[in-house]
Amino acid sequence: MEPLSDAVLEVGPRIFHVDRSVLAEQSRYFYVLFYGGFKENTQHRICLKGVAEESFQALLNFTQNGSMNLNRRNVTELLETADFLDLQRAKRFCVGYLEHELRVSNCFDMMSYSKQYDCPDLYDSAFNVALTHFSDILYHEENEFNWLDKETLVELLQSDDLFVSKEDIVFEAVMKWVMVDPDREKYFEELVSLVRPAFLSLSFLDVLVKRSQNPGGQDAYTRLVQTLNTKPPETWSSMDEAISSSRSYETLFVLGGKHEKEQQELYAYLPKTSTWKVCAPLQRKNLTQYAVATVGNLVIVTGGFFRGDFVWYSIDLVAIYDSSLDSWSDGPPMNISRNCHCAVGVGLQLFVMGGTTDEGVTGEVERLDLVEMKWESMSPLMRPVERAAATSLGTYIYVICGRDENGDVYSGIQRLNTEANDWDIVSYSPMPRYDICSTVLNGAIYTIGGQAFRFNLSTEEWSELEAQCLYRKFFMGCSSANGRIYILGQRRARITNDVPSFIQFDPYLDSFKVEDTNLPCPLPIRGCVSMRHCDVC
């Protein structure tokens, strides 16, 4: 007997007429229910137990039109039901909403919830928020931190990506957590072994030494420090281990300056100390419209518009800044001279896309292997554009909007699978523009310029960022670092003078911090990129 093509599902007191094939295609649960050889295979009317009718109605509508009205009251029940019914597409949609609602105040709850319902992307995002906002949690979300389970605390403390301004904070976190409950003192040696003693400040170590030598100290803090003094963990005794175990963090590099100057100035912003550092400048004059990207510890400048003796023309320049040596060198020239293009790094490779040649807008894409130092042609853009934004996540590159060969604004988000060398279009911007900035943070693309938007890559949903400091304003560069987004532009200080503007946007604290005084950044800003570093003793 052929399986029935339609069925009636009883969910509580309600009746739902469904198409078996549609549900079976989207859910292993329904595939087994309808076509798995059970009695329901031949039944027209099936009772579905353990599911609320409101949730089922919403999920059924989603299977038909791909849309759900989610809010903080219904999202958890819908996700749980989608998980129970194995409606993976609907489950991803719910997870995308929770990722949008992720904040410092709820990141531990999100981690726990994502484990319960097997949501690895949500767990990774929540864990990254905890790593990059550890100090905020420790000092401003005390209840959340104090009752954190030991296993999660260990996972955080042993991570190389834990972002703190100084290692002293990690030690204080261990002490604070242990002293919440006397029963936790048995975990002290294990937890304190995860502190990196080579990076504790001298002033902090001096305080610890004096406290350990206080014979009359009866408080828990002093007692624990004295225990540490008499029986330090093995990781504190091995100098080789201590020196090689620094935590990593991201630093910003900003390049720019007027083209008529003898050089383009390079500065590094150090988020741990909120300070700027002067770096070796790029010795190039009469150069503009170049692209800036990072690969490993290298800042790479490609192409640009160069003024010769009488005319401007595109060039095939490749200039490489080595941050470990604070010096520039020439790289192999590009196959195609271009300007107004975009460039991003993926692994140990640099990709250059689109832009303008002396003949017009191009869709050509080429890749530089930093190991072999050779350029290779790749599949061209689906739509040739110049003055587009670009960013990368994993092995994918996203080229966002831009201006096409007809001078029109293009709204598409073009995606390159670098492993398959294949392009597709994943979405269209709700407000297409050229000369916008973009960056990626925790699985979402942020576009800045005119208005600011967030594009969730898992759900392909756009949402607008409500921020007056970003509304109807344009910027010259942005980059994510340590769980925050840094946006650079300029403002008019006097009639004849502009000054750089620097905004730190934290989507997990809903905060915007604007700085526009005493910034050393050169104007105009040509590129803003981030790079991961490690401290070395």
Side-chain angles (χ1 to χ4, degrees):
M1 180 177 178
E2 288 294 320
L4 298 174
S5 59
D6 295 298
V8 174
L9 295 180
E10 296 181 14
V11 183
R14 295 186 59 183
I15 300 298
F16 295 91
H17 295 271
V18 301
D19 187 311
R20 292 171 181 258
S21 61
V22 171
L23 289 180
E25 183 180 3
Q26 299 194 39
S27 162
R28 181 68 182 171
Y29 175 94
F30 284 111
Y31 180 86
V32 172
L33 181 69
F34 294 142
Y35 304 120
F38 300 102
K39 63 180 181 178
E40 290 85 358
N41 187 206
T42 57
Q43 289 180 340
H44 180 65
R45 196 180 188 97
I46 303 170
C47 181
L48 201 61
K49 297 180 180 180
V51 177
E53 60 264 29
E54 295 85 358
S55 296
F56 185 76
Q57 178 70 75
L59 293 169
L60 183 62
N61 291 341
F62 182 83
T63 65
Q64 296 166 350
N65 57 34
S67 178
M68 265 193 296
N69 292 321
L70 297 177
N71 55 56
R72 295 180 183 179
R73 293 186 301 275
N74 68 9
V75 64
T76 52
E77 183 175 325
L78 285 168
L79 189 148
E80 291 166 10
T81 306
D83 181 70
F84 175 72
L85 298 176
D86 199 31
L87 290 164
Q88 291 300 316
R89 185 162 161 262
K91 182 179 175 181
R92 286 195 300 272
F93 193 86
C94 294
V95 168
Y97 177 86
L98 290 175
E99 288 176 342
H100 185 266
E101 295 296 310
L102 178 60
R103 298 294 185 273
V104 170
S105 59
N106 62 22
C107 63
F108 290 144
D109 289 337
M110 291 284 195
M111 289 169 63
S112 176
Y113 191 73
S114 61
K115 282 183 177 180
Q116 182 179 357
Y117 292 101
D118 189 27
C119 306
D121 290 342
L122 177 60
Y123 182 87
D124 290 343
S125 295
F127 185 67
N128 285 336
V129 171
L131 284 174
T132 55
H133 294 76
F134 188 75
S135 298
D136 296 297
I137 295 170
L138 178 63
Y139 297 121
H140 303 298
E141 302 291 339
E142 292 190 49
N143 190 58
E144 294 287 326
F145 178 80
N146 288 343
W147 298 108
L148 182 65
D149 63 274
K150 193 203 84 165
E151 291 72 21
T152 301
L153 181 59
V154 168
E155 190 178 5
L156 288 166
L157 297 183
Q158 66 186 8
S159 174
D160 288 335
D161 297 329
L162 183 67
F163 178 69
V164 287
S165 59
K166 49 188 177 181
E167 192 70 13
D168 308 2
I169 294 171
V170 182
F171 186 93
E172 289 293 346
V174 170
M175 300 296 285
K176 184 175 183 178
W177 187 86
V178 168
M179 290 190 300
V180 168
D181 184 345
D183 288 341
R184 293 180 178 178
E185 291 189 15
K186 60 188 176 185
Y187 302 125
F188 175 67
E189 183 177 352
E190 176 188 357
L191 293 173
V192 81
S193 70
L194 302 176
V195 178
R196 320 226 170 157
F199 298 94
L200 292 171
S201 67
L202 293 177
S203 59
F204 187 75
L205 286 171
D206 183 57
V207 171
L208 293 181
V209 169
K210 289 179 179 177
R211 201 149 185 173
S212 69
Q213 295 173 346
N214 179 11
Q218 299 298 316
D219 60 285
Y221 193 107
T222 300
R223 187 175 67 256
L224 289 170
V225 171
Q226 290 173 343
T227 300
L228 178 64
N229 186 46
T230 57
K231 187 184 177 183
E234 292 184 7
T235 55
W236 285 47
S237 304
S238 171
M239 186 58 64
D240 291 338
E241 174 83 12
I243 289 177
S244 62
S245 59
S246 65
R247 302 186 193 275
S248 63
Y249 60 95
E250 289 170 310
T251 296
L252 294 181
F253 285 86
V254 179
L255 181 67
K258 295 181 178 179
H259 70 264
E260 64 267 21
K261 299 291 186 179
E262 294 293 332
Q263 59 191 27
Q264 298 287 286
E265 299 177 57
L266 179 66
Y267 285 84
Y269 177 72
L270 311 177
K272 288 178 68 172
T273 57
S274 299
T275 56
W276 291 88
K277 173 186 174 183
V278 180
C279 302
L282 173 62
Q283 299 292 342
R284 293 281 177 169
K285 186 179 180 181
N286 297 334
L287 181 64
T288 184
Q289 306 297 348
Y290 51 81
V292 184
T294 54
V295 177
N297 68 329
L298 307 176
V299 176
I300 305 178
V301 173
T302 54
F305 211 37
F306 178 75
R307 188 183 69 186
D309 294 334
F310 303 103
V311 297
W312 287 88
Y313 56 89
S314 301
I315 61 174
D316 56 7
L317 167 75
V318 176
I320 301 174
Y321 173 79
D322 188 329
S323 62
S324 63
L325 301 175
D326 189 31
S327 64
W328 290 87
S329 61
D330 292 332
M334 294 187 295
N335 294 330
I336 300 174
S337 297
R338 62 180 90 199
N339 67 85
C340 296
H341 55 291
C342 46
V344 294
V346 175
L348 294 176
Q349 297 174 327
L350 174 74
F351 290 78
V352 173
M353 297 146 292
T356 298
T357 67
D358 293 338
E359 288 74 38
V361 176
T362 181
E364 293 299 316
V365 177
E366 49 188 315
R367 176 180 66 187
L368 174 63
D369 187 314
L370 270 297
V371 177
E372 298 183 1
M373 297 301 283
K374 291 182 180 179
W375 286 97
E376 177 186 5
S377 295
M378 304 290 290
S379 296
L381 292 165
M382 297 182 70
R383 185 73 166 268
V385 287
E386 64 166 4
R387 299 168 72 172
T391 190
S392 64
L393 179 64
T395 58
Y396 289 92
I397 293 173
Y398 300 85
V399 176
I400 303 154
C401 298
R403 190 168 68 175
D404 66 18
E405 62 269 29
N406 299 316
D408 297 326
V409 178
Y410 178 61
S411 62
I413 313 300
Q414 303 182 72
R415 177 177 62 183
L416 172 64
N417 180 336
T418 59
E419 294 180 334
N421 191 24
D422 182 52
W423 288 92
D424 66 345
I425 297 174
V426 295
S427 185
Y428 293 89
S429 170
M431 180 166 285
R433 296 178 182 272
Y434 56 87
D435 289 341
I436 61 173
C437 307
S438 70
T439 190
V440 165
L441 180 60
N442 280 339
I445 294 176
Y446 291 79
T447 62
I448 314 292
Q451 285 180 262
F453 291 92
R454 178 183 184 273
F455 179 62
N456 188 310
L457 288 167
S458 62
T459 64
E460 299 183 1
E461 291 283 316
W462 291 90
S463 56
E464 184 177 356
L465 302 180
E466 301 292 340
Q468 190 61 36
C469 62
L470 301 180
Y471 183 64
R472 300 187 68 178
K473 295 180 182 178
F474 289 88
F475 298 90
M476 299 175 177
C478 75
S479 188
S480 58
N482 310 305
R484 288 91 172 160
I485 295 175
Y486 296 87
I487 308 164
L488 288 103
Q490 66 185 53
R491 71 169 180 86
R492 181 58 52 90
R494 294 189 298 272
I495 295 178
T496 59
N497 184 40
D498 289 340
V499 297
S501 174
F502 186 53
I503 299 174
Q504 177 183 302
F505 165 44
D506 192 328
Y508 306 110
L509 290 172
D510 293 314
S511 67
F512 292 85
K513 182 181 178 182
V514 181
E515 297 181 19
D516 56 9
T517 56
N518 301 320
L519 297 179
C521 306
L523 290 178
I525 293 166
R526 310 290 186 185
C528 173
V529 292
S530 59
M531 180 188 300
R532 185 160 287 279
H533 278 284
C534 290
D535 289 328
V536 178
C537 280

